[in-house]
Amino acid sequence: MTRTLILLPAALFLALALSSCGGAGVPTSSLLSATSSKDAGPQDLSAEERMMLDATNAMRTQNQKCDGAVFKATTPLTWNGYLARSARAHTADMANQNYFDHVAPDGGTLATRDNAAGYTGWTTLGENIVAGDDVSGFVQRWMESPSHCKTLMDPKFRELGIGYVLKAGTTYRTYATQEFGTR
């Protein structure tokens, strides 16, 4: 069994996280579906999480260019509650401890968080994080960052969980995490 772990450099994305970006239209329909043979966990989504799921899947329905490489349109991601549990916990941790990174101050990583949240038996994981300004532009900003775009468009990913936190008094105010997985 091959396991791939994609971690994105926080310093590179920090500059993007704080910059303004153009927003893409957000589809109103949801592309939620149950994972066929695996337990997908709780299926609850906040309005912000649903908006990011829909926008992510809308991007995946079209060919995209990520750092000059063309990514063909691919399948929509299905919601996974375990990945969402992990994404929500990491997002809340970043907001509560006022940091922005893929690795938590206690050393927690994408793999340890996803396993602890109940997303087991995975073969591939990926993560996108973003912080600052309005949530409606988060997916577009990921698309404008080469490494984040590649993760978002990677056809090997099948499931997605998202966490979103708005917390006044922190450096970035808004934080979001996308956890991608394949089992």
Side-chain angles (χ1 to χ4, degrees), residues 73-103:
T74 189
T75 58
L77 298 162
T78 58
W79 184 257
N80 184 282
Y82 300 114
L83 289 173
R85 181 182 298 154
S86 176
R88 290 168 181 159
H90 185 56
T91 306
D93 190 54
M94 287 191 295
N96 291 334
Q97 295 194 59
N98 200 23
Y99 72 95
F100 181 73
D101 203 329
H102 291 281
V103 179

Side-chain angles (χ1 to χ4, degrees), residues 11 28 31 36 49 55 85 88 94 96 98 143 145 153 172:
T28 58
L31 296 174
S36 60
E49 292 165 350
R85 181 182 298 154
R88 290 168 181 159
M94 287 191 295
N96 291 334
N98 200 23
M143 293 303 293
S145 164
M153 289 301 297
Y172 306 106

Side-chain angles (χ1 to χ4, degrees), residues 21-97:
C21 63
V26 179
T28 58
S29 65
S30 175
L31 296 174
L32 285 175
S33 64
T35 304
S36 60
S37 63
K38 305 278 186 192
D39 176 13
Q43 296 297 297
D44 60 312
L45 286 85
S46 70
E48 294 85 4
E49 292 165 350
R50 182 175 301 275
M51 179 174 49
M52 285 185 272
L53 173 65
D54 289 345
T56 297
N57 281 332
M59 292 294 183
R60 288 173 63 94
T61 66
Q62 304 169 31
N63 293 345
Q64 301 289 342
K65 233 181 201 176
C66 303
D67 197 28
V70 175
F71 280 72
K72 298 270 187 202
T74 189
T75 58
L77 298 162
T78 58
W79 184 257
N80 184 282
Y82 300 114
L83 289 173
R85 181 182 298 154
S86 176
R88 290 168 181 159
H90 185 56
T91 306
D93 190 54
M94 287 191 295
N96 291 334
Q97 295 194 59

Side-chain angles (χ1 to χ4, degrees), residues 145-165:
S145 164
S147 59
H148 296 88
C149 178
K150 290 174 185 175
T151 301
L152 193 145
M153 289 301 297
D154 194 327
K156 73 180 167 243
F157 291 123
R158 298 285 179 238
E159 298 177 288
L160 180 66
I162 299 170
Y164 168 77
V165 170

Side-chain angles (χ1 to χ4, degrees), residues 4 39 45-46 56 65 69 87 92 110 124 127 144 150 166 182:
T4 305
D39 176 13
L45 286 85
S46 70
T56 297
K65 233 181 201 176
L110 167 64
T124 307
E127 179 176 77
E144 293 168 357
K150 290 174 185 175
L166 167 64
T182 303

Side-chain angles (χ1 to χ4, degrees), residues 8 10 12-26 52 55-56 59 64-66 100 128-152 164 171-176 178:
L8 305 171
L12 168 68
F13 194 66
L14 183 56
L16 290 172
L18 297 175
S19 66
S20 63
C21 63
V26 179
M52 285 185 272
T56 297
M59 292 294 183
Q64 301 289 342
K65 233 181 201 176
C66 303
F100 181 73
N128 284 342
I129 61 175
V130 66
D133 67 42
D134 186 49
V135 66
S136 67
F138 282 178
V139 173
Q140 183 61 40
R141 288 184 24 220
W142 280 320
M143 293 303 293
E144 293 168 357
S145 164
S147 59
H148 296 88
C149 178
K150 290 174 185 175
T151 301
L152 193 145
Y164 168 77
T171 301
Y172 306 106
R173 197 169 100 76
T174 57
Y175 301 78
Q178 288 182 312

